[in-house]
Amino acid sequence: MGKKFKLLTLSLLVLGMLTSCNKKENKDVNIYMWGGSKEINTFMDDVVAPKVLENENINLKRVPIVDIKDVVNKLIIEKQAGKKTGVIDVLWVNGENFKALKDAGVLTENTLGSIKNKDLLKESTTVKDFGEDINGLEVPFGEAQFNFIYNTKNGAVPFTGWETLTEYVKKNPGRFTYPNATNFTGSAFVRNITIDMLGYDNIQNMTPEEFKENLNIVWNYLNEIEPYLWRKGETYPESEGKLDLLYSAGEVDVTMGYTINKVNSKIESGDYPETSKSFLLNKGTLFNNHYLAIPANAQNKDGAIAVINELVSPEMQLLKQEPKNWGDFNILDMKKLSPEIVKQFFDLNKSGKIPSPEELQEKRVMELTPDKLTIIEEGWTENVGKN
């Protein structure tokens, strides 16, 4: 009896050690994402990470990145070198960078199909990313629409399109600027002006060569207003964060960004004056979704799936949309949620600081395809940035 008891005890001990080892191996998940927003960073570190640890027993480690293109190149190089296990488990991505990753074949297949909460997502968010078929390679994380922010104490909405922007900068020299177009916010501003001037449907029907030719109208316009920009256009803020600082300090009258609830978040944190308000252009502003993907060589794919499932859950999406956290709009189908949760989502948007849901819907302009986006960014650098 004693020998059997000792063998049983030993077996249980070994089993416990194996279970412990397995738990340890699967406990860490590294999420690589842009680190330029203190609100997003704080939300991920102080709200998301503790929730993930509590619900999934996973240590979620946020790894801040400056330029997503560096991470894209890293994954492509690792595949070429035959590196089977990398350090990136989850990647925040969309648009041209998703296309590059997809074309290189460095993302885990059927990630979307592996998410338990996938049936709660808006179907429209799971089909295309900047016109590129998603094919289950990424999971929608949030909804974005480009918007401008101004201080109402200075008067009415400063401009509603490219023509009135011209009038505004000439009457208020040095009070407006936009980030360098090599930055994603600056690129979005230039794309929006391009669509405003040339027309979205017209652009869609242009060949790359025709598009490049027509962009000369845009470059001439941006060069025309350049002397009236902040610091006479001799330099551009390097990021959205730097533009926000200029706005907060009262050096410029307008800032901008993709987060619809950004104005509420910044007022909540004390970074913007309470008289700040968001506005859209009359012809509309760019709309897109951003996504989460898992590299093919992720070291903890099971943990990554669990983390993504948590991030798209109604509880986490609600926390993410709260202005005091991130303010990012959700990607859930309200028809599939309980009335109580739906009410909580709608209650978050009653500040009067952002456009109504109807205006946001009416003025959505879909993103251009990655090839046209690249043409714009390279064209701005060559024709405006170098001047």
Side-chain angles (χ1 to χ4, degrees), residues 59-94:
N59 288 322
L60 183 63
K61 298 182 177 180
R62 178 183 61 84
V63 181
I65 56 179
V66 176
D67 191 341
I68 182 66
K69 289 182 174 63
D70 294 336
V71 179
V72 171
N73 292 333
K74 171 183 171 65
L75 289 172
I76 294 173
I77 291 169
E78 286 180 350
K79 181 185 179 182
Q80 293 170 344
K83 186 174 182 179
K84 301 297 183 184
T85 305
V87 297
I88 306 170
D89 296 308
V90 180
L91 182 62
W92 187 26
V93 68
N94 76 345

Side-chain angles (χ1 to χ4, degrees), residues 112-131:
L112 179 62
S114 303
I115 303 300
K116 293 178 182 177
N117 285 319
K118 63 181 180 296
D119 292 335
L120 298 179
L121 305 173
K122 292 179 188 174
E123 188 176 349
S124 60
T125 66
T126 64
V127 181
K128 290 183 183 292
D129 180 359
F130 278 63

Side-chain angles (χ1 to χ4, degrees), residues 44 146 240 294 333 340:
M44 294 300 296
F146 202 72
E240 179 181 326
I294 301 174
D333 186 339
E340 293 78 19

Side-chain angles (χ1 to χ4, degrees), residues 103-172:
D103 290 347
V106 295
L107 296 178
T108 297
E109 296 184 357
N110 198 35
T111 296
L112 179 62
S114 303
I115 303 300
K116 293 178 182 177
N117 285 319
K118 63 181 180 296
D119 292 335
L120 298 179
L121 305 173
K122 292 179 188 174
E123 188 176 349
S124 60
T125 66
T126 64
V127 181
K128 290 183 183 292
D129 180 359
F130 278 63
E132 185 70 24
D133 290 334
I134 291 172
N135 297 340
L137 293 170
E138 57 181 5
V139 179
F141 183 33
E143 188 174 278
Q145 186 164 347
F146 202 72
N147 63 103
F148 299 88
I149 296 164
Y150 76 110
N151 193 335
T152 57
K153 78 172 187 180
N154 294 331
V157 171
F159 52 87
T160 56
W162 67 272
E163 298 103 329
T164 49
L165 176 58
T166 306
E167 297 170 14
Y168 182 77
V169 297
K170 289 185 176 180
K171 289 179 181 177
N172 302 274

Side-chain angles (χ1 to χ4, degrees), residues 75-334:
L75 289 172
I76 294 173
I77 291 169
E78 286 180 350
K79 181 185 179 182
Q80 293 170 344
K83 186 174 182 179
K84 301 297 183 184
T85 305
V87 297
I88 306 170
D89 296 308
V90 180
L91 182 62
W92 187 26
V93 68
N94 76 345
E96 60 181 324
N97 299 302
F98 166 67
K99 177 173 171 52
L101 293 165
K102 176 186 173 184
D103 290 347
V106 295
L107 296 178
T108 297
E109 296 184 357
N110 198 35
T111 296
L112 179 62
S114 303
I115 303 300
K116 293 178 182 177
N117 285 319
K118 63 181 180 296
D119 292 335
L120 298 179
L121 305 173
K122 292 179 188 174
E123 188 176 349
S124 60
T125 66
T126 64
V127 181
K128 290 183 183 292
D129 180 359
F130 278 63
E132 185 70 24
D133 290 334
I134 291 172
N135 297 340
L137 293 170
E138 57 181 5
V139 179
F141 183 33
E143 188 174 278
Q145 186 164 347
F146 202 72
N147 63 103
F148 299 88
I149 296 164
Y150 76 110
N151 193 335
T152 57
K153 78 172 187 180
N154 294 331
V157 171
F159 52 87
T160 56
W162 67 272
E163 298 103 329
T164 49
L165 176 58
T166 306
E167 297 170 14
Y168 182 77
V169 297
K170 289 185 176 180
K171 289 179 181 177
N172 302 274
R175 303 297 301 173
F176 178 82
T177 189
Y178 59 93
N180 189 304
T182 57
N183 166 269
F184 65 87
T185 303
S187 171
F189 169 78
V190 176
R191 292 200 304 280
N192 227 128
I193 290 296
T194 299
I195 292 169
D196 203 56
M197 295 187 76
L198 303 181
Y200 183 83
D201 291 338
N202 292 334
I203 293 172
Q204 292 297 89
N205 294 324
M206 292 177 190
T207 65
E209 292 71 25
E210 290 171 337
F211 187 48
K212 287 180 183 178
E213 181 68 26
N214 279 277
L215 278 174
N216 287 323
I217 300 170
V218 180
W219 309 145
N220 290 338
Y221 168 75
L222 292 175
N223 283 324
E224 178 192 345
I225 67 170
E226 189 174 65
Y228 302 96
L229 301 182
W230 174 73
R231 291 190 177 176
K232 298 181 179 180
E234 293 172 0
T235 184
Y236 292 83
E238 63 192 47
S239 67
E240 179 181 326
K242 292 295 174 64
L243 179 59
D244 282 340
L245 289 174
L246 292 176
Y247 174 76
S248 299
E251 285 196 46
V252 296
D253 294 335
V254 178
T255 186
M256 60 193 74
Y258 264 118
T259 302
I260 302 167
N261 236 336
K262 176 180 174 179
V263 64
N264 286 318
S265 297
K266 290 290 190 179
I267 290 174
E268 182 91 27
S269 65
D271 291 325
Y272 285 0
E274 291 188 5
T275 45
S276 298
K277 193 173 182 179
S278 171
F279 70 99
L280 310 175
L281 301 184
N282 282 349
K283 292 181 184 176
T285 56
L286 292 166
F287 168 84
N288 68 51
N289 297 109
H290 48 95
Y291 296 82
L292 298 168
I294 301 174
N297 69 350
Q299 59 187 342
N300 188 357
K301 291 186 181 181
D302 289 341
I305 290 292
V307 166
I308 293 177
N309 191 61
E310 281 287 320
L311 289 172
V312 300
S313 68
E315 177 192 18
M316 199 66 78
Q317 287 284 300
L318 188 62
L319 288 169
K320 183 162 69 75
Q321 193 166 320
E322 287 189 16
K324 68 178 182 181
N325 292 328
W326 180 341
D328 192 44
F329 269 37
N330 72 89
I331 37 71
L332 301 174
D333 186 339
M334 293 291 134

